[in-house]
Amino acid sequence: MQAIIDFVLELDKLKGVTRKTRPLGLDRQENSAEHSWQIALLASSLAPYAPQALDMNRVVAMLLVHDIGEIDTGDTIAYAEEGWQERKAAELAAVQRIFGLLPSEQAARFLALWQEFEDAATPEARFAHAADRAMPVLLNLANSGQSWRENGISYERVVKRIRPPIETGCPALWAYLDGQLRHAQTQGWFGA
Amino acid sequence: MQAIIDFVLELDKLKGVTRKTRPLGLDRQENSAEHSWQIALLASSLAPYAPQALDMNRVVAMLLVHDIGEIDTGDTIAYAEEGWQERKAAELAAVQRIFGLLPSEQAARFLALWQEFEDAATPEARFAHAADRAMPVLLNLANSGQSWRENGISYERVVKRIRPPIETGCPALWAYLDGQLRHAQTQGWFGA
């Protein structure tokens, strides 16, 4: 029991890992814990638009654990292109440490979920990636492009980065976002 | 699709609903969105201590939606005893409004999960309640009783309030907390 409690208290640190996006109407940055909650519900709500029958419980479970490595590594904005391999190795070491606080059977289960998300090789993992990538875009679309403008992210860069994972994981979601992003471009919501 | 997006953006407001507890090491109050994420993982980790075989996916799903009514009603500390019925009616109206943003099938699914949690009549709902009630206690135990001291909550009041739901939903968790709470009392971590 103490091992489980130690793990859950360690999770508290994800509440202090901040992202670039701000929650709507709040004057602070979003953290990775509340983001994980929101995308679990986004994925769950999007189930009717999944491209095939999926185990949605596994999608939700993956999304709840996918950012836990950031406790040690911090969040990296999705547009950072350098040091990708080093970052992934550091995140793996982090989740091995953090899940390793748990009894081995549960540690292995969470690590398998985390790895499935990372590998993005199953339809469930791809659907989870689509939700994860779409959420900050949806917030930016509702926020007049707050983090795009603040971080100098162009329309082309957003589309290049998010189209492949979203179109692969949830084509209907990409079709929706495609129209919204074109509209956002006409509104000047992107950085240079 | 737009209905789902509207719902998920409405969820953003739960990030602004604050609780009495502070995340460990952070100088701000916890919000109900990050709390929901954490207790979903607490429940999931506690699965080996469930008093019987449970559908853990339903436990997790309940915990992800159980606080959504607070978007309209705000958080009420678990020790407030007045106005319980009015508060519950307001929360029901809130989740009917918020889940009502979704297509009817998904709205009904989330509302059923919310109601199952509220009714606390299934072993899954009782286990979910145990996790929900235990989490602020665990944070207080790791925080030298921060919110107990700040809000004048006594040892007796904590035990009276949390023992029944936790002992019913997850006896092994209560056994653990019982020892920890007695220790906390010797440390002076409670309010008057």
Side-chain angles (χ1 to χ4, degrees), chain A residues 114-139:
Chain A
W114 183 89
Q115 193 65 58
E116 181 179 354
F117 181 87
E118 285 301 301
D119 293 343
T122 62
E124 281 81 4
R126 291 194 194 110
F127 193 73
H129 273 276
D132 184 38
R133 287 299 175 82
M135 196 67 241
V137 175
L138 292 169
L139 290 174

PDB file of all heavy atoms in Angstrom, chain A residues 114-139:
ATOM      1  N   TRP A 114       2.185   3.346 -21.487  1.00  0.00           N
ATOM      2  CA  TRP A 114       3.020   4.477 -21.897  1.00  0.00           C
ATOM      3  C   TRP A 114       3.755   4.141 -23.199  1.00  0.00           C
ATOM      4  O   TRP A 114       3.807   4.946 -24.124  1.00  0.00           O
ATOM      5  CB  TRP A 114       4.021   4.797 -20.777  1.00  0.00           C
ATOM      6  CG  TRP A 114       4.886   5.992 -21.075  1.00  0.00           C
ATOM      7  CD1 TRP A 114       4.608   7.292 -20.787  1.00  0.00           C
ATOM      8  CD2 TRP A 114       6.154   5.981 -21.734  1.00  0.00           C
ATOM      9  NE1 TRP A 114       5.621   8.100 -21.221  1.00  0.00           N
ATOM     10  CE2 TRP A 114       6.587   7.325 -21.810  1.00  0.00           C
ATOM     11  CE3 TRP A 114       6.966   4.988 -22.267  1.00  0.00           C
ATOM     12  CZ2 TRP A 114       7.803   7.696 -22.389  1.00  0.00           C
ATOM     13  CZ3 TRP A 114       8.175   5.355 -22.857  1.00  0.00           C
ATOM     14  CH2 TRP A 114       8.585   6.695 -22.905  1.00  0.00           C
ATOM     15  N   GLN A 115       4.306   2.922 -23.273  1.00  0.00           N
ATOM     16  CA  GLN A 115       5.069   2.510 -24.454  1.00  0.00           C
ATOM     17  C   GLN A 115       4.159   2.377 -25.673  1.00  0.00           C
ATOM     18  O   GLN A 115       4.545   2.735 -26.789  1.00  0.00           O
ATOM     19  CB  GLN A 115       5.780   1.184 -24.165  1.00  0.00           C
ATOM     20  CG  GLN A 115       6.833   0.835 -25.201  1.00  0.00           C
ATOM     21  CD  GLN A 115       7.989   1.833 -25.211  1.00  0.00           C
ATOM     22  OE1 GLN A 115       8.644   2.026 -24.205  1.00  0.00           O
ATOM     23  NE2 GLN A 115       8.219   2.472 -26.352  1.00  0.00           N
ATOM     24  N   GLU A 116       2.950   1.865 -25.456  1.00  0.00           N
ATOM     25  CA  GLU A 116       2.006   1.742 -26.573  1.00  0.00           C
ATOM     26  C   GLU A 116       1.710   3.125 -27.159  1.00  0.00           C
ATOM     27  O   GLU A 116       1.673   3.308 -28.380  1.00  0.00           O
ATOM     28  CB  GLU A 116       0.707   1.071 -26.121  1.00  0.00           C
ATOM     29  CG  GLU A 116      -0.279   0.923 -27.284  1.00  0.00           C
ATOM     30  CD  GLU A 116      -1.582   0.235 -26.900  1.00  0.00           C
ATOM     31  OE1 GLU A 116      -1.718  -0.239 -25.752  1.00  0.00           O
ATOM     32  OE2 GLU A 116      -2.482   0.174 -27.779  1.00  0.00           O
ATOM     33  N   PHE A 117       1.530   4.110 -26.278  1.00  0.00           N
ATOM     34  CA  PHE A 117       1.298   5.479 -26.753  1.00  0.00           C
ATOM     35  C   PHE A 117       2.511   5.966 -27.533  1.00  0.00           C
ATOM     36  O   PHE A 117       2.386   6.494 -28.636  1.00  0.00           O
ATOM     37  CB  PHE A 117       0.994   6.404 -25.575  1.00  0.00           C
ATOM     38  CG  PHE A 117       0.717   7.819 -25.986  1.00  0.00           C
ATOM     39  CD1 PHE A 117      -0.571   8.204 -26.343  1.00  0.00           C
ATOM     40  CD2 PHE A 117       1.719   8.770 -26.027  1.00  0.00           C
ATOM     41  CE1 PHE A 117      -0.840   9.514 -26.742  1.00  0.00           C
ATOM     42  CE2 PHE A 117       1.465  10.073 -26.426  1.00  0.00           C
ATOM     43  CZ  PHE A 117       0.182  10.455 -26.773  1.00  0.00           C
ATOM     44  N   GLU A 118       3.694   5.789 -26.972  1.00  0.00           N
ATOM     45  CA  GLU A 118       4.918   6.250 -27.628  1.00  0.00           C
ATOM     46  C   GLU A 118       5.097   5.628 -29.005  1.00  0.00           C
ATOM     47  O   GLU A 118       5.472   6.308 -29.959  1.00  0.00           O
ATOM     48  CB  GLU A 118       6.146   5.897 -26.772  1.00  0.00           C
ATOM     49  CG  GLU A 118       6.332   6.769 -25.572  1.00  0.00           C
ATOM     50  CD  GLU A 118       6.474   8.241 -25.939  1.00  0.00           C
ATOM     51  OE1 GLU A 118       7.397   8.607 -26.687  1.00  0.00           O
ATOM     52  OE2 GLU A 118       5.619   9.016 -25.485  1.00  0.00           O
ATOM     53  N   ASP A 119       4.824   4.318 -29.093  1.00  0.00           N
ATOM     54  CA  ASP A 119       5.051   3.610 -30.353  1.00  0.00           C
ATOM     55  C   ASP A 119       4.043   4.006 -31.428  1.00  0.00           C
ATOM     56  O   ASP A 119       4.336   3.892 -32.628  1.00  0.00           O
ATOM     57  CB  ASP A 119       4.986   2.097 -30.128  1.00  0.00           C
ATOM     58  CG  ASP A 119       6.134   1.602 -29.256  1.00  0.00           C
ATOM     59  OD1 ASP A 119       7.125   2.346 -29.097  1.00  0.00           O
ATOM     60  OD2 ASP A 119       6.029   0.478 -28.714  1.00  0.00           O
ATOM     61  N   ALA A 120       2.863   4.417 -30.998  1.00  0.00           N
ATOM     62  CA  ALA A 120       1.815   4.849 -31.937  1.00  0.00           C
ATOM     63  C   ALA A 120       1.585   3.830 -33.046  1.00  0.00           C
ATOM     64  O   ALA A 120       1.368   4.190 -34.211  1.00  0.00           O
ATOM     65  CB  ALA A 120       2.149   6.228 -32.514  1.00  0.00           C
ATOM     66  N   ALA A 121       1.634   2.569 -32.690  1.00  0.00           N
ATOM     67  CA  ALA A 121       1.509   1.509 -33.695  1.00  0.00           C
ATOM     68  C   ALA A 121       0.135   0.846 -33.687  1.00  0.00           C
ATOM     69  O   ALA A 121      -0.212   0.119 -34.617  1.00  0.00           O
ATOM     70  CB  ALA A 121       2.588   0.450 -33.466  1.00  0.00           C
ATOM     71  N   THR A 122      -0.660   1.070 -32.652  1.00  0.00           N
ATOM     72  CA  THR A 122      -2.004   0.484 -32.596  1.00  0.00           C
ATOM     73  C   THR A 122      -3.040   1.572 -32.922  1.00  0.00           C
ATOM     74  O   THR A 122      -2.787   2.758 -32.717  1.00  0.00           O
ATOM     75  CB  THR A 122      -2.308  -0.071 -31.192  1.00  0.00           C
ATOM     76  OG1 THR A 122      -2.265   1.012 -30.241  1.00  0.00           O
ATOM     77  CG2 THR A 122      -1.293  -1.132 -30.786  1.00  0.00           C
ATOM     78  N   PRO A 123      -4.208   1.163 -33.399  1.00  0.00           N
ATOM     79  CA  PRO A 123      -5.262   2.165 -33.664  1.00  0.00           C
ATOM     80  C   PRO A 123      -5.627   2.935 -32.395  1.00  0.00           C
ATOM     81  O   PRO A 123      -5.916   4.130 -32.461  1.00  0.00           O
ATOM     82  CB  PRO A 123      -6.449   1.324 -34.147  1.00  0.00           C
ATOM     83  CG  PRO A 123      -5.879   0.020 -34.575  1.00  0.00           C
ATOM     84  CD  PRO A 123      -4.626  -0.204 -33.787  1.00  0.00           C
ATOM     85  N   GLU A 124      -5.585   2.272 -31.243  1.00  0.00           N
ATOM     86  CA  GLU A 124      -5.896   2.960 -29.990  1.00  0.00           C
ATOM     87  C   GLU A 124      -4.864   4.047 -29.691  1.00  0.00           C
ATOM     88  O   GLU A 124      -5.213   5.159 -29.297  1.00  0.00           O
ATOM     89  CB  GLU A 124      -5.942   1.954 -28.821  1.00  0.00           C
ATOM     90  CG  GLU A 124      -7.227   1.150 -28.714  1.00  0.00           C
ATOM     91  CD  GLU A 124      -7.271  -0.042 -29.665  1.00  0.00           C
ATOM     92  OE1 GLU A 124      -6.262  -0.293 -30.367  1.00  0.00           O
ATOM     93  OE2 GLU A 124      -8.322  -0.720 -29.710  1.00  0.00           O
ATOM     94  N   ALA A 125      -3.594   3.723 -29.870  1.00  0.00           N
ATOM     95  CA  ALA A 125      -2.551   4.719 -29.606  1.00  0.00           C
ATOM     96  C   ALA A 125      -2.655   5.871 -30.599  1.00  0.00           C
ATOM     97  O   ALA A 125      -2.475   7.033 -30.240  1.00  0.00           O
ATOM     98  CB  ALA A 125      -1.172   4.069 -29.683  1.00  0.00           C
ATOM     99  N   ARG A 126      -2.986   5.565 -31.843  1.00  0.00           N
ATOM    100  CA  ARG A 126      -3.094   6.630 -32.849  1.00  0.00           C
ATOM    101  C   ARG A 126      -4.275   7.549 -32.554  1.00  0.00           C
ATOM    102  O   ARG A 126      -4.200   8.757 -32.748  1.00  0.00           O
ATOM    103  CB  ARG A 126      -3.222   6.016 -34.250  1.00  0.00           C
ATOM    104  CG  ARG A 126      -1.931   5.351 -34.687  1.00  0.00           C
ATOM    105  CD  ARG A 126      -1.977   5.051 -36.195  1.00  0.00           C
ATOM    106  NE  ARG A 126      -0.898   4.142 -36.539  1.00  0.00           N
ATOM    107  CZ  ARG A 126      -1.073   2.876 -36.905  1.00  0.00           C
ATOM    108  NH1 ARG A 126      -2.283   2.356 -37.000  1.00  0.00           N
ATOM    109  NH2 ARG A 126      -0.023   2.120 -37.179  1.00  0.00           N
ATOM    110  N   PHE A 127      -5.354   6.951 -32.084  1.00  0.00           N
ATOM    111  CA  PHE A 127      -6.513   7.764 -31.714  1.00  0.00           C
ATOM    112  C   PHE A 127      -6.159   8.643 -30.515  1.00  0.00           C
ATOM    113  O   PHE A 127      -6.530   9.822 -30.452  1.00  0.00           O
ATOM    114  CB  PHE A 127      -7.685   6.828 -31.376  1.00  0.00           C
ATOM    115  CG  PHE A 127      -9.013   7.513 -31.288  1.00  0.00           C
ATOM    116  CD1 PHE A 127      -9.662   7.953 -32.439  1.00  0.00           C
ATOM    117  CD2 PHE A 127      -9.630   7.709 -30.067  1.00  0.00           C
ATOM    118  CE1 PHE A 127     -10.902   8.588 -32.365  1.00  0.00           C
ATOM    119  CE2 PHE A 127     -10.867   8.345 -29.974  1.00  0.00           C
ATOM    120  CZ  PHE A 127     -11.505   8.779 -31.133  1.00  0.00           C
ATOM    121  N   ALA A 128      -5.425   8.070 -29.562  1.00  0.00           N
ATOM    122  CA  ALA A 128      -4.991   8.847 -28.392  1.00  0.00           C
ATOM    123  C   ALA A 128      -4.103  10.015 -28.829  1.00  0.00           C
ATOM    124  O   ALA A 128      -4.243  11.139 -28.332  1.00  0.00           O
ATOM    125  CB  ALA A 128      -4.252   7.935 -27.397  1.00  0.00           C
ATOM    126  N   HIS A 129      -3.195   9.755 -29.761  1.00  0.00           N
ATOM    127  CA  HIS A 129      -2.340  10.840 -30.262  1.00  0.00           C
ATOM    128  C   HIS A 129      -3.170  11.941 -30.914  1.00  0.00           C
ATOM    129  O   HIS A 129      -2.869  13.130 -30.753  1.00  0.00           O
ATOM    130  CB  HIS A 129      -1.324  10.299 -31.276  1.00  0.00           C
ATOM    131  CG  HIS A 129      -0.065   9.803 -30.643  1.00  0.00           C
ATOM    132  ND1 HIS A 129       0.974  10.635 -30.313  1.00  0.00           N
ATOM    133  CD2 HIS A 129       0.305   8.561 -30.259  1.00  0.00           C
ATOM    134  CE1 HIS A 129       1.948   9.912 -29.753  1.00  0.00           C
ATOM    135  NE2 HIS A 129       1.572   8.648 -29.719  1.00  0.00           N
ATOM    136  N   ALA A 130      -4.199  11.554 -31.660  1.00  0.00           N
ATOM    137  CA  ALA A 130      -5.037  12.563 -32.316  1.00  0.00           C
ATOM    138  C   ALA A 130      -5.665  13.481 -31.267  1.00  0.00           C
ATOM    139  O   ALA A 130      -5.674  14.705 -31.418  1.00  0.00           O
ATOM    140  CB  ALA A 130      -6.110  11.888 -33.163  1.00  0.00           C
ATOM    141  N   ALA A 131      -6.165  12.903 -30.180  1.00  0.00           N
ATOM    142  CA  ALA A 131      -6.779  13.726 -29.126  1.00  0.00           C
ATOM    143  C   ALA A 131      -5.737  14.628 -28.467  1.00  0.00           C
ATOM    144  O   ALA A 131      -5.980  15.814 -28.221  1.00  0.00           O
ATOM    145  CB  ALA A 131      -7.436  12.822 -28.080  1.00  0.00           C
ATOM    146  N   ASP A 132      -4.570  14.064 -28.186  1.00  0.00           N
ATOM    147  CA  ASP A 132      -3.498  14.827 -27.529  1.00  0.00           C
ATOM    148  C   ASP A 132      -3.050  16.005 -28.389  1.00  0.00           C
ATOM    149  O   ASP A 132      -2.838  17.121 -27.890  1.00  0.00           O
ATOM    150  CB  ASP A 132      -2.328  13.872 -27.257  1.00  0.00           C
ATOM    151  CG  ASP A 132      -1.199  14.533 -26.489  1.00  0.00           C
ATOM    152  OD1 ASP A 132      -1.478  15.350 -25.581  1.00  0.00           O
ATOM    153  OD2 ASP A 132      -0.025  14.224 -26.781  1.00  0.00           O
ATOM    154  N   ARG A 133      -2.904  15.771 -29.692  1.00  0.00           N
ATOM    155  CA  ARG A 133      -2.457  16.832 -30.587  1.00  0.00           C
ATOM    156  C   ARG A 133      -3.547  17.861 -30.851  1.00  0.00           C
ATOM    157  O   ARG A 133      -3.267  19.032 -31.089  1.00  0.00           O
ATOM    158  CB  ARG A 133      -2.004  16.230 -31.929  1.00  0.00           C
ATOM    159  CG  ARG A 133      -0.700  15.496 -31.857  1.00  0.00           C
ATOM    160  CD  ARG A 133       0.433  16.430 -31.413  1.00  0.00           C
ATOM    161  NE  ARG A 133       1.660  15.691 -31.242  1.00  0.00           N
ATOM    162  CZ  ARG A 133       2.465  15.374 -32.244  1.00  0.00           C
ATOM    163  NH1 ARG A 133       2.183  15.753 -33.476  1.00  0.00           N
ATOM    164  NH2 ARG A 133       3.571  14.694 -32.012  1.00  0.00           N
ATOM    165  N   ALA A 134      -4.782  17.387 -30.847  1.00  0.00           N
ATOM    166  CA  ALA A 134      -5.876  18.314 -31.190  1.00  0.00           C
ATOM    167  C   ALA A 134      -6.179  19.296 -30.064  1.00  0.00           C
ATOM    168  O   ALA A 134      -6.562  20.441 -30.325  1.00  0.00           O
ATOM    169  CB  ALA A 134      -7.140  17.525 -31.534  1.00  0.00           C
ATOM    170  N   MET A 135      -6.005  18.878 -28.821  1.00  0.00           N
ATOM    171  CA  MET A 135      -6.494  19.702 -27.706  1.00  0.00           C
ATOM    172  C   MET A 135      -5.878  21.095 -27.662  1.00  0.00           C
ATOM    173  O   MET A 135      -6.616  22.085 -27.555  1.00  0.00           O
ATOM    174  CB  MET A 135      -6.296  18.952 -26.381  1.00  0.00           C
ATOM    175  CG  MET A 135      -7.098  19.546 -25.226  1.00  0.00           C
ATOM    176  SD  MET A 135      -8.903  19.367 -25.436  1.00  0.00           S
ATOM    177  CE  MET A 135      -9.404  21.092 -25.471  1.00  0.00           C
ATOM    178  N   PRO A 136      -4.541  21.235 -27.734  1.00  0.00           N
ATOM    179  CA  PRO A 136      -4.008  22.605 -27.710  1.00  0.00           C
ATOM    180  C   PRO A 136      -4.454  23.416 -28.930  1.00  0.00           C
ATOM    181  O   PRO A 136      -4.586  24.636 -28.845  1.00  0.00           O
ATOM    182  CB  PRO A 136      -2.483  22.413 -27.689  1.00  0.00           C
ATOM    183  CG  PRO A 136      -2.243  21.002 -28.094  1.00  0.00           C
ATOM    184  CD  PRO A 136      -3.468  20.222 -27.711  1.00  0.00           C
ATOM    185  N   VAL A 137      -4.689  22.735 -30.051  1.00  0.00           N
ATOM    186  CA  VAL A 137      -5.186  23.434 -31.242  1.00  0.00           C
ATOM    187  C   VAL A 137      -6.589  23.960 -30.974  1.00  0.00           C
ATOM    188  O   VAL A 137      -6.914  25.114 -31.284  1.00  0.00           O
ATOM    189  CB  VAL A 137      -5.164  22.489 -32.464  1.00  0.00           C
ATOM    190  CG1 VAL A 137      -5.782  23.168 -33.681  1.00  0.00           C
ATOM    191  CG2 VAL A 137      -3.742  22.034 -32.755  1.00  0.00           C
ATOM    192  N   LEU A 138      -7.413  23.131 -30.361  1.00  0.00           N
ATOM    193  CA  LEU A 138      -8.782  23.572 -30.037  1.00  0.00           C
ATOM    194  C   LEU A 138      -8.757  24.758 -29.077  1.00  0.00           C
ATOM    195  O   LEU A 138      -9.542  25.698 -29.220  1.00  0.00           O
ATOM    196  CB  LEU A 138      -9.571  22.407 -29.420  1.00  0.00           C
ATOM    197  CG  LEU A 138      -9.877  21.254 -30.382  1.00  0.00           C
ATOM    198  CD1 LEU A 138     -10.413  20.040 -29.627  1.00  0.00           C
ATOM    199  CD2 LEU A 138     -10.884  21.705 -31.452  1.00  0.00           C
ATOM    200  N   LEU A 139      -7.852  24.714 -28.096  1.00  0.00           N
ATOM    201  CA  LEU A 139      -7.763  25.844 -27.152  1.00  0.00           C
ATOM    202  C   LEU A 139      -7.274  27.100 -27.872  1.00  0.00           C
ATOM    203  O   LEU A 139      -7.788  28.195 -27.646  1.00  0.00           O
ATOM    204  CB  LEU A 139      -6.846  25.490 -25.971  1.00  0.00           C
ATOM    205  CG  LEU A 139      -7.417  24.450 -25.004  1.00  0.00           C
ATOM    206  CD1 LEU A 139      -6.377  24.058 -23.950  1.00  0.00           C
ATOM    207  CD2 LEU A 139      -8.676  24.962 -24.307  1.00  0.00           C
TER     208      LEU A 139
END
